[in-house]
Amino acid sequence: MLRFFPFMVLAIAAYAVAISVMGLSLGAELTGFALPSGARFSVTVSELLLALSTIVLFFEIMNAASAKSNSILNHGLSMLVFIGCFVGFLLVPAFGTGTFLIITLMALVDVVAGYSISILTARRDMTFDRQE
């Protein structure tokens, strides 16, 4: 069942909870510490959400590499997630930020990578009398 679940929904849900439910500012510092160089390293809400989204995107691409028959359902659901992100970016004020635009672009990369990997895998599995 988890094979066709679009994990990017988790990144979008984390954004929605942090911004809408918890009311956090994207620029709010969550933690920080001094580096040996003397520079101060701090992590903001925006950076944490983008890091989480990048990790989720990795798992989405790994899932897209699966040659299972239910990957078509995953691609369709990923497309719906991207469309939802894009509509949310355009129409919901709290989602009209640079951070959410990057999350939306990650959802687009998930869709394009999923279809591309499926096509390349299918083409690799097909042979036509040694023609390439």
Side-chain angles (χ1 to χ4, degrees), residues 11-25:
I12 297 160
Y15 181 92
V17 167
I19 301 307
S20 299
V21 177
M22 297 174 65
L24 295 174
S25 168

Side-chain angles (χ1 to χ4, degrees), residues 1-10 60 63 70 73-74 77-78 81 110:
M1 180 162 173
L2 287 177
R3 293 300 256 171
F4 60 84
F5 179 76
F7 292 107
M8 284 303 293
V9 169
L10 299 175
E60 277 289 351
N63 196 16
N70 61 4
L73 179 59
N74 178 274
L77 292 174
S78 293
V81 168
D110 173 33

Side-chain angles (χ1 to χ4, degrees), residues 10-96:
L10 299 175
I12 297 160
Y15 181 92
V17 167
I19 301 307
S20 299
V21 177
M22 297 174 65
L24 295 174
S25 168
L26 289 173
E29 184 178 315
L30 295 175
T31 187
F33 52 89
L35 297 174
S37 66
R40 177 162 170 74
F41 177 77
S42 63
V43 177
T44 64
V45 172
S46 177
E47 293 164 344
L48 182 63
L49 289 170
L50 291 175
L52 171 72
S53 299
T54 304
I55 293 167
V56 169
L57 179 61
F58 167 76
F59 286 109
E60 277 289 351
I61 291 175
M62 293 301 293
N63 196 16
S66 167
K68 305 277 186 192
S69 61
N70 61 4
S71 66
I72 294 172
L73 179 59
N74 178 274
H75 299 329
L77 292 174
S78 293
M79 178 64 87
L80 289 176
V81 168
F82 167 68
I83 292 169
C85 282
F86 189 64
V87 169
F89 175 73
L90 293 175
L91 301 178
V92 179
F95 288 10

